[in-house]
Amino acid sequence: MISFFSRLIDLIAPRCCAICGCRLSITEQTLCSSCDRHIPRTWYERSPYDNMMNRLYWKQIPIEKTSALFFYNAQAPVSKAIYDLKYHHCSEIGVSLGEIAAREFSHENFFEGIDTIIPVPLTKKRQHTRGYNQSMMIARGISNVTGIKINNNIVRRTLFKESQTHKDVIDRKENVKDAFSIINTKAIANHHILLVDDIVTTGATTIACSQQLMKAEGIKISIVSLGFVKP
Ligand SMILES: [Zn+2]
């Protein structure tokens, strides 16, 4: 049922598709049905323990489940939504895409056994200039759907060097190796953590962050992102 109020809001302030910009119908949320249909989904939630993303972490960290909503590359239409999320103050795109991912992954019971959601943190400075942490927005969307609590006070990002876009794999690892430090190990002892990032490329960032989380006792780590860049 669509309320009178929602219809009224839709008339006064029409909402636009985050990818193509066309006006959304009253039943559409964030993406128009055409863009939604054409997002190149990974479907990794159907084989969460063995997929191309999961293999990035093998021999690096004891990884449980991994999935991403879609395959990402800078030329794909979906990159507009990610760009707006990161650089155009469109934080609500993160929440909505997080909700979409969570609803789809829930069909495969992906979140079963997970205790705590942790978004990959930004440095204080970066978060201040952006106004928010985009991974926190995605985490919020996942939490809205699953009811799993977010804990944002476990790990801190201390370093943020130049953009990683043009760096090779070894450089990326060097770049983020010491970027994180754990603040509180007790609060997550024996928890199964869901680490949330916007885009996973080489896994270097999520590996560095996980290595800090692993300082807590009895920890399990699963990882979710919106986009995954095929190696
Ligand atoms: Zn669209």
Side-chain angles (χ1 to χ4, degrees):
M1 248 305 264
I2 294 146
S3 70
F4 170 75
F5 187 68
S6 313
R7 286 183 195 279
L8 188 67
I9 292 288
D10 197 58
L11 270 178
I12 302 166
R15 299 160 310 127
C16 296
C17 171
I19 294 177
C20 72
C22 78
R23 185 170 173 178
L24 294 178
S25 77
I26 187 93
T27 52
E28 290 167 340
Q29 193 201 342
T30 312
L31 304 178
C32 71
S33 49
S34 168
C35 287
D36 185 43
R37 250 196 328 272
H38 289 102
I39 283 184
R41 285 175 168 73
T42 69
W43 302 118
Y44 285 165
E45 66 276 16
R46 294 176 181 174
S47 53
Y49 293 99
D50 186 2
N51 55 54
M52 233 192 280
M53 181 177 170
N54 204 287
R55 285 168 183 248
L56 289 180
Y57 301 100
W58 292 8
K59 296 184 182 161
Q60 307 276 344
I61 54 167
I63 188 73
E64 298 278 329
K65 297 181 253 193
T66 55
S67 190
L69 183 58
F70 47 77
F71 290 113
Y72 178 84
N73 72 66
Q75 287 77 42
V78 72
S79 67
K80 184 190 176 296
I82 298 298
Y83 196 81
D84 287 346
L85 165 64
K86 289 175 82 164
Y87 304 109
H88 288 155
H89 309 288
C90 299
S91 59
E92 73 286 355
I93 290 177
V95 179
S96 298
L97 292 178
E99 286 175 351
I100 291 170
R103 274 197 291 270
E104 295 186 10
F105 297 179
S106 290
H107 294 150
E108 309 294 331
N109 296 321
F110 185 90
F111 301 100
E112 216 170 73
I114 290 170
D115 302 295
T116 305
I117 301 172
I118 298 182
V120 170
L122 295 179
T123 58
K124 259 192 187 155
K125 194 175 157 205
R126 176 62 64 105
Q127 184 159 336
H128 186 74
T129 35
R130 189 166 292 168
Y132 55 89
N133 172 2
Q134 72 276 7
S135 297
M136 179 64 179
M137 297 302 133
I138 302 161
R140 239 176 237 168
I142 296 172
S143 180
N144 289 347
V145 171
T146 60
I148 302 167
K149 291 223 159 63
I150 300 170
N151 195 331
N152 201 22
N153 297 307
I154 298 297
V155 63
R156 174 173 49 208
R157 192 173 196 146
T158 44
L159 274 178
F160 200 106
K161 292 191 186 155
E162 62 192 285
S163 165
Q164 299 197 345
T165 321
H166 301 294
K167 299 226 150 206
D168 66 27
V169 175
I170 294 166
D171 272 0
R172 278 167 190 263
K173 286 200 172 138
E174 275 307 305
N175 213 19
V176 291
K177 201 173 62 155
D178 306 310
F180 300 94
S181 64
I182 192 137
I183 313 163
N184 187 344
T185 50
K186 281 204 182 119
I188 53 163
N190 302 308
H191 278 207
H192 185 168
I193 302 294
L194 182 71
L195 188 60
V196 175
D197 204 357
D198 53 351
I199 307 288
V200 167
T201 306
T202 61
T205 307
T206 36
I207 287 169
C209 192
S210 297
Q211 280 165 343
Q212 290 297 307
L213 296 175
M214 280 154 52
K215 292 181 177 172
E217 212 177 305
I219 206 92
K220 284 182 180 173
I221 300 171
S222 290
I223 298 174
V224 158
S225 64
L226 292 182
F228 174 65
V229 181
K230 264 192 228 176

